[in-house]
Amino acid sequence: AYVHAIAPRSTQTSGRSGNHAVSYLNLRLFTCVFEPFALRMHYTCTHAENGRHHHSFFETQADTEAFARRVAQALLAHESDIAQHGFNLRLNGGLGAGKTTFTRALLRACGVTGRVRSPTFELVEDYEIGKTLAFHHFDFYRFESAEEFDEAGFRELFGPGMVTACEWSEKAAPYLPDADLEISLSVKDLSRDASLKAYTPLGRVVLMEVCA
């Protein structure tokens, strides 16, 4: 499959305060060729200037799960940074796009051995990953108003030492904290199309390592 990365040339997006403010102006664009394997994914990357937006195509569910393992490895490699700043992963896509499948595979790769449930009814499921990190998997599909995010006290589950993966994030906007990395999944027949966009320095590092 052919993988191409594109992004706005002059768009600027503000992340969380301090070191998490990010501009697309000085980022680097890359193009990748993706060859999926059962346990590893191999990329060949070329680099150019301006922007960071990665596009991937997965022919099977196993490819999606292998990609999730790559993301998990990159997150755990930066556990100390996440302990300081936190890491917010936004998962976009309609029903059946593979958001929960991706998250389940990511958690398995992070060492979670118990049952990994969809948070559709509970709104959030909590896990421990790595040596020190908490992982919160949200599903805001049943929100009737965005204010429910603050009313439920969910903001306390974002921040240093915490990784969040949020489904149906648009239902919690504008209260939802900014994303470090956004993954948008869509169905293409029996395959999946994934668009990844990094918004913060840490998000860019993770995305770069996924393509290493």
Side-chain angles (χ1 to χ4, degrees), residues 22-23 27 52 198-209:
V22 56
S23 169
L27 307 186
R52 176 62 43 74
Y199 290 97
T200 65
L202 184 54
R204 295 199 304 273
V205 169
V206 169
L207 183 54
M208 196 67 179
E209 293 186 1

Side-chain angles (χ1 to χ4, degrees), residues 90 138 140 149 155 158 166 169-170 172-179:
R90 192 150 310 166
F138 291 93
F140 302 119
F149 179 85
R155 190 174 296 274
F158 291 74
C166 298
S169 301
E170 64 273 17
Y175 297 94
L176 189 65
D178 294 329

Side-chain angles (χ1 to χ4, degrees), residues 3 33-44 54 56-58 60-71 73 102 196 209-212:
V3 181
V33 175
F34 164 51
E35 300 174 5
F37 285 79
L39 297 178
R40 289 188 61 190
M41 300 202 325
H42 298 269
Y43 298 88
T44 334
H54 178 67
S56 296
F57 177 77
F58 308 116
T60 68
Q61 179 175 314
D63 296 335
T64 303
E65 293 171 348
F67 182 77
R69 289 193 288 272
R70 294 284 297 190
V71 176
Q73 291 168 6
F102 171 88
L196 293 86
E209 293 186 1
V210 168
C211 187

Side-chain angles (χ1 to χ4, degrees), residues 100-113:
T100 299
T101 297
F102 171 88
T103 306
R104 183 177 291 111
L106 187 153
L107 286 167
R108 292 289 185 228
C110 286
V112 175
T113 57

